[in-house]
Amino acid sequence: MAKRPAPKKPATKAKRKTAAKSKAPAERKSPAKAKAKTAKRKPTKRKTAKKRRFTLKRLLAYLVLIGLLAAAVFTLYLDVTVRARFEGKRFALPARVYARPLELYPGLKLSPEDIRHELDLLRYRRAADPGQPGSYAWNGSTLDLRTRPFVFGDGSQAALSLRVEFRGGRVAELSQRGRNKALAIARLDPPLIGGIYPGRNEDRILVQLKDAPQWLIDALIATEDRRFYSHYGLDPLGIARALVVTVGGGRVQGGSTLTQQLAKNFFLTPERTLQRKFTEMVMALLLELHYSKQEILETYLNEVYLGQDGNRAIHGFGLAASFYFDKPLNELSVPQAALLVGMLKGPSYYSPRRHPQRALKRRNLVLEEMAQDGKLSPRQLARAQAAPLGVVARPPSGASPYPAFLQLVYRQLKRDYRDEDLRSEGLGIITTLDPVAQRAAERALSGRLARLEKDRRLKSGTLQGALVITSTQNAEVQAVVGGRDPRFEGFNRALDAQRPIGSLVKPVVYLTALEHPQRYTLATLLDDSPLLLKQKGSEDYAPQNFDKRFHGRVPLIDCLVHSYNVPTVRLGLAVGIPQVLDNLRRLGARSPLPGFASSLLGAGELAPLEVAQVYQTIAAGGFRTPLRAIRAVLTSRGEPLKRYPLKVEQTSDPAALYLLTTAMQEVVRRGTARSLDRYLPASLDIAGKTGTTDGLRDSWFAGFTGDRLAVAWVGRDDNRPTGLTGASGAMVVWGQALAALDPQPLVPTQPDNVAWAWVDPASGLLSARGCPGAMNLPFIAGSAPTRRAACGGSLEQSMEELGQGMEKMGTKVKRWFERIFD
């Protein structure tokens, strides 16, 4: 049931009285008084309104003042920004990396095929009459060429006109073309093999305004900004015309001057906003205020974006001329210049390689603009429009054809330079890469791996490898191949594949022993019988020979020649594992090496380049020279910045190294590497060592001739067995690579304190030359055996044989020098 509302209470007497008092004055006020009061209030209101208007004006004035102040501050900020960037280093220039410059001289071993490859790498052009720099012509076995000028570390060299005669795979004659003047030596400009680019991969070739042909400037002005020389950064007429055309329903036009385009490209982002447009206009005015038209135009020529090469951005007309026409900027023709200018509107849309018809139409439009501007006559216009695009099919690539070598260069540069300097200062890097050696190494590795897989019925593509070639004369790295695909830019096995080196460590074990001539000589008999090592904290170690047999007492030299494991371990234990590992480090190893007995058989892991450093010291007779891939660094102006001279340090006894080298020559002559004679003649007297690891997982060969050293590795990335020994895998790669380079014979320099003697291998005692199995071995003075075997002959006979041996060696050395200097 709904509740009835309570009745309203009547107001009390006091409340009624109070309400009456509050209403009484208004009701009692007379009209006259009210009028008088209103008249008194009007001046006050006017004052208030006037005061309000004044406040509003003052506020507006403040706002305007603040706005002007903000605009001034903003303009000042832009001014500082413009001048700081424009007066500092305007562009980040990549470092350019070059191969070694080829030096031609009579007698140089260089086949016509090799020089053709060199000219192709240099991008020289074939011509009927090679008068232009970078051109050549063949006439039978005669090569006429004109080199390009180049600034070397020792000064600039102008273009040379040369005539080279080839005979028998060598340079027979060298002369100055035209004057028929014989030359002793001539140097070609070095091939460009790569670059180290800025963070955004911008690449450009800086040019000066004077380098640009006039028709390029004419095309640019006629197409992009006809009043460039008369406006001050902004072109009101151009802006008005663009507005009229756009509002009238025509094609949307920008109306930006060249200066505005430069401000946008150089300082701003490509976003389309009013704020960005306003900033661009202010910056354009500031550029015109501070800098000349020539400076603005030259910066524009170097800044503009003109295409893409993979992840490399093509900036500036200088690089574009090379990228599209393979020629310097000053050699562009009228239609070629017009094509580049036309591409400014859209480098991808008007790409002459992908859209030739579209590019041709755009080029001809630019040519018409030039004609309308009075820069081309009707006849010139017709001729230019009839010309083909002329774009080269294969552009000079920014990617290095030798990525593995470039990685080595970059790592060595990082020791001396900051990364940002390498990517922005435009340095010139002259390296040691020999394209002839590099090509031989690439062919040998890729070809032989495929052949090994086929012969052994291995799955195609499973084998991998690495190959390093150096000069034994100066420790320059001539070639680096980091895998079976030499163009692959990923994992570089030559530098980073840490693999057990197997028997490649044995020469170091024997060198450590031979450095104690009173205890060990090449004739010392070593024990090759079962060996069991018990070591605390590890399993018993019982090394085995590869043939699973023991051979009794074996001369030290034969233990190395046949790569016996057991006597090697005994020898290493006798001279001390720490001493062996210390010797390995002194020769050049840098990786951590475990101090176990198994390290004496190559359980330690090294990369191929590190092995090359160790063997480089052996080949140099105990003088360690750090391997180097860089000859010199030049500034962007070609001035010498840093040279990389030879740093030689004697780390081992030359006499002991001579004995070791003799033993390693026997390895190739009659030991585990004897099948190398399938690829190279035995007369080269190569010194080398095979290496095979447990389970046939790694196949190694390291060796050297009279002029080159190489280290080859073959294996699998997943570390599974390959079924290859050092001789059946890596050595065939090594042999094919060196055979293509026609190496020089190895004639080690015999130290004064070394003499030869015949010894009996069974007893290690002196023998006569005609005794069965007698070996002629070198000994460090005072270490030759003094006792005689049963077939030892007389002392006089031994001395006579020793003298004959010395005479024979002298004749051999003399012939070697004759081969070099004849």
Side-chain angles (χ1 to χ4, degrees):
M1 186 174 177
K3 198 172 183 178
R4 183 178 296 175
K8 192 175 181 180
K9 292 182 179 179
T12 61
K13 185 177 181 181
K15 288 182 178 180
R16 287 196 297 269
K17 188 180 284 185
T18 302
K21 282 182 178 178
S22 62
K23 294 179 180 177
E27 294 172 355
R28 289 195 298 265
K29 190 180 291 181
S30 66
K33 287 182 178 179
K35 189 175 180 180
K37 192 171 183 178
T38 303
K40 288 180 181 177
R41 286 177 179 173
K42 279 184 177 177
T44 304
K45 285 185 177 179
R46 283 197 294 271
K47 283 183 179 179
T48 303
K50 186 176 180 181
K51 188 175 181 180
R52 283 177 182 169
R53 285 196 297 272
F54 176 74
T55 303
L56 184 59
K57 287 182 179 178
R58 191 164 55 181
L59 179 60
L60 289 175
Y62 284 156
L63 288 175
V64 170
L65 190 60
I66 292 173
L68 290 174
L69 185 61
V73 171
F74 183 61
T75 304
L76 183 62
Y77 165 75
L78 293 181
D79 188 68
V80 171
T81 302
V82 166
R83 286 193 291 167
R85 178 82 186 275
F86 225 73
E87 293 174 7
K89 186 175 61 179
R90 295 180 187 175
F91 301 104
L93 299 178
R96 302 200 179 278
V97 184
Y98 299 90
R100 58 89 186 94
L102 177 62
E103 293 182 341
L104 300 172
Y105 53 88
L108 173 68
K109 287 188 293 185
L110 187 70
S111 67
E113 183 187 0
D114 291 336
I115 190 66
R116 285 192 183 94
H117 179 68
E118 186 86 14
L119 296 176
D120 187 48
L121 199 59
L122 281 163
R123 303 192 68 80
Y124 276 27
R125 297 186 299 276
R126 187 185 289 272
D129 182 15
Q132 293 294 321
S135 59
Y136 70 94
W138 280 98
N139 183 13
S141 60
T142 302
L143 171 67
D144 289 336
L145 74 160
R146 183 165 175 78
T147 67
R148 293 193 184 103
F150 192 82
V151 181
F152 294 92
D154 54 1
S156 60
Q157 174 181 288
L160 304 174
S161 289
L162 303 174
R163 172 160 293 174
V164 190
E165 292 277 349
F166 290 89
R167 281 196 294 271
R170 291 178 180 270
V171 175
E173 296 178 25
L174 176 66
S175 60
Q176 188 174 357
R177 185 166 167 260
R179 298 185 180 180
N180 199 25
K181 177 183 177 183
L183 297 174
I185 191 169
R187 183 169 53 181
L188 305 188
D189 47 302
L192 179 66
I193 60 170
I196 302 173
Y197 298 103
R200 292 183 294 176
N201 280 335
E202 288 185 6
D203 193 10
R204 57 171 52 82
I205 297 175
L206 282 188
V207 295
Q208 295 181 334
L209 190 58
K210 64 182 178 61
D211 299 326
Q214 184 57 45
W215 39 84
L216 175 68
I217 306 301
D218 292 342
L220 190 62
I221 299 298
T223 309
E224 297 293 325
D225 188 0
R226 288 191 180 182
R227 278 175 288 278
F228 173 72
Y229 290 109
S230 60
H231 63 63
Y232 295 97
L234 305 180
D235 182 8
L237 291 177
I239 296 173
R241 186 186 68 250
L243 284 174
V244 169
V245 172
T246 303
V247 172
R251 185 166 51 92
V252 177
Q253 295 192 357
S256 295
T257 64
L258 284 180
T259 315
Q260 284 179 265
Q261 294 178 38
L262 176 61
K264 181 186 71 175
N265 297 334
F266 204 65
F267 302 103
L268 305 173
T269 62
E271 62 177 348
R272 293 190 172 188
T273 64
L274 287 176
Q275 180 184 356
R276 203 272 296 157
K277 192 68 178 177
F278 175 73
T279 306
E280 169 194 306
M281 295 169 74
V282 174
M283 283 185 154
L285 291 171
L286 291 170
L287 282 172
E288 295 274 352
L289 177 66
H290 293 298
Y291 306 103
S292 68
K293 292 286 186 181
Q294 286 72 24
E295 287 179 283
I296 292 171
L297 193 55
E298 183 175 286
T299 308
Y300 183 93
L301 294 179
N302 287 299
E303 168 56 34
V304 289
Y305 170 70
L306 281 164
Q308 198 73 26
D309 176 29
N311 63 351
R312 182 177 67 136
I314 308 299
H315 280 261
F317 283 95
L319 181 60
S322 171
F323 183 69
Y324 291 106
F325 304 110
D326 196 16
K327 58 172 62 173
L329 183 64
N330 57 8
E331 294 182 13
L332 288 184
S333 64
V334 172
Q336 289 169 339
L339 176 61
L340 294 185
V341 170
M343 290 175 61
L344 289 172
K345 190 175 177 63
S348 299
Y349 187 78
Y350 294 108
S351 170
R353 291 196 177 94
R354 288 188 292 171
H355 309 292
Q357 292 303 319
R358 193 182 292 166
L360 185 67
K361 187 176 179 182
R362 175 66 183 166
R363 184 203 69 177
N364 289 344
L365 182 62
V366 173
L367 291 170
E368 288 176 8
E369 296 280 352
M370 293 176 69
Q372 290 177 13
D373 207 27
K375 303 301 180 185
L376 293 179
S377 65
R379 186 176 179 181
Q380 288 173 320
L381 173 64
R383 189 166 59 240
Q385 288 187 325
L389 288 176
V391 175
V392 294
R394 187 169 65 92
S397 175
S400 174
Y402 312 117
F405 188 89
L406 207 64
Q407 285 182 23
L408 175 61
V409 171
Y410 181 66
R411 293 185 190 186
Q412 294 193 356
L413 285 171
K414 288 274 285 180
R415 300 172 189 167
D416 302 313
Y417 298 93
R418 299 182 306 165
D419 189 68
E420 53 264 40
D421 292 337
L422 293 174
R423 297 182 184 279
S424 65
E425 294 295 332
L427 301 178
I429 316 297
I430 309 295
T431 73
T432 61
L433 181 122
D434 180 348
V436 177
Q438 179 72 27
R439 188 164 60 123
E442 292 176 0
R443 285 183 172 181
L445 185 64
S446 302
R448 274 294 160 181
L449 290 185
R451 181 70 178 272
L452 286 169
E453 289 170 344
K454 183 177 180 181
D455 291 347
R456 295 174 177 271
R457 298 182 179 178
L458 299 173
K459 184 179 178 182
S460 177
T462 54
L463 287 180
Q464 271 295 351
L467 186 56
V468 178
I469 299 178
T470 69
S471 164
T472 57
Q473 311 297 322
N474 51 26
E476 288 186 347
V477 181
Q478 298 178 331
V480 176
V481 187
R484 64 185 301 159
D485 179 3
R487 307 289 170 258
F488 180 63
E489 297 185 13
F491 183 57
N492 188 340
R493 294 163 190 83
L495 275 57
D496 299 322
Q498 295 282 326
R499 307 290 299 210
I501 60 174
S503 296
L504 292 194
V505 77
K506 287 176 180 171
V508 184
V509 178
Y510 287 87
L511 173 64
T512 309
L514 293 171
E515 287 176 334
H516 303 280
Q518 298 308 318
R519 293 175 59 193
Y520 297 101
T521 69
L522 293 178
T524 301
L525 297 178
L526 301 181
D527 181 11
D528 183 14
S529 62
L531 173 66
L532 179 63
L533 290 177
K534 294 183 177 293
Q535 305 175 86
K536 289 184 178 179
S538 61
E539 295 182 358
D540 293 347
Y541 180 55
Q544 296 286 325
N545 290 319
F546 185 77
D547 59 4
K548 307 298 181 186
R549 296 168 54 194
F550 298 98
H551 309 87
R553 291 168 60 80
V554 182
L556 183 147
I557 186 173
D558 282 357
C559 292
L560 180 61
V561 167
H562 301 294
S563 199
Y564 292 153
N565 291 334
V566 179
T568 301
V569 173
R570 276 200 172 91
L571 182 64
L573 293 173
V575 298
I577 297 174
Q579 285 71 24
V580 173
L581 298 183
D582 183 59
N583 224 353
L584 189 57
R585 295 188 189 94
R586 284 191 287 121
L587 290 170
R590 290 290 177 269
S591 298
L593 298 165
F596 306 131
S598 58
S599 298
L600 299 169
L601 298 180
E605 298 178 346
L606 299 179
L609 184 71
E610 208 171 357
V611 174
Q613 178 65 77
V614 171
Y615 274 72
Q616 182 78 31
T617 309
I618 294 174
F623 292 90
R624 185 180 65 199
T625 303
L627 294 176
R628 59 186 183 131
I630 305 167
R631 287 184 180 177
V633 177
L634 312 177
T635 67
S636 58
R637 296 180 296 279
E639 299 163 349
L641 187 63
K642 184 177 178 62
R643 293 182 182 278
Y644 289 81
L646 288 176
K647 295 180 180 178
V648 181
E649 177 188 4
Q650 184 173 354
T651 59
S652 301
D653 177 23
L657 255 304
Y658 181 80
L659 269 57
L660 177 67
T661 302
T662 301
M664 292 172 65
Q665 288 178 304
E666 291 298 314
V667 171
V668 177
R669 193 173 292 133
R670 60 186 177 88
T672 55
R674 59 186 176 278
S675 58
L676 190 60
D677 61 4
R678 297 177 186 171
Y679 308 95
L680 293 157
S683 59
L684 293 176
D685 288 330
I686 296 169
K689 186 69 190 78
T690 54
T692 310
T693 60
D694 289 345
L696 302 179
R697 288 178 168 79
D698 299 279
S699 169
W700 290 89
F701 187 76
F704 48 94
T705 66
D707 58 345
R708 300 184 198 265
L709 178 146
V711 174
W713 169 81
V714 174
R716 293 179 54 150
D717 287 343
D718 59 8
N719 201 32
R720 297 178 65 180
T722 64
L724 298 169
T725 64
S728 62
M731 195 183 74
V732 298
V733 174
W734 194 100
Q736 181 172 330
L738 270 290
L741 298 175
D742 190 17
Q744 296 177 3
L746 172 63
V747 183
T749 302
Q750 182 174 326
D752 294 338
N753 61 338
V754 171
W756 291 69
W758 289 91
V759 296
D760 172 32
S763 63
L765 303 180
L766 284 176
S767 174
R769 181 167 51 182
C771 292
M775 297 187 298
N776 193 22
L777 298 177
F779 291 89
I780 298 175
S783 66
T786 54
R787 295 170 55 197
R788 298 185 174 280
C791 187
S794 63
L795 178 61
E796 291 75 12
Q797 183 181 356
S798 297
M799 293 302 295
E800 181 184 353
E801 292 172 353
L802 181 61
Q804 292 173 349
M806 296 293 288
E807 183 180 356
K808 182 179 178 183
M809 179 59 67
T811 303
K812 204 172 181 181
V813 171
K814 181 182 176 184
R815 288 177 179 171
W816 180 74
F817 278 106
E818 288 174 350
R819 278 196 297 269
I820 292 178
F821 296 108
D822 283 350

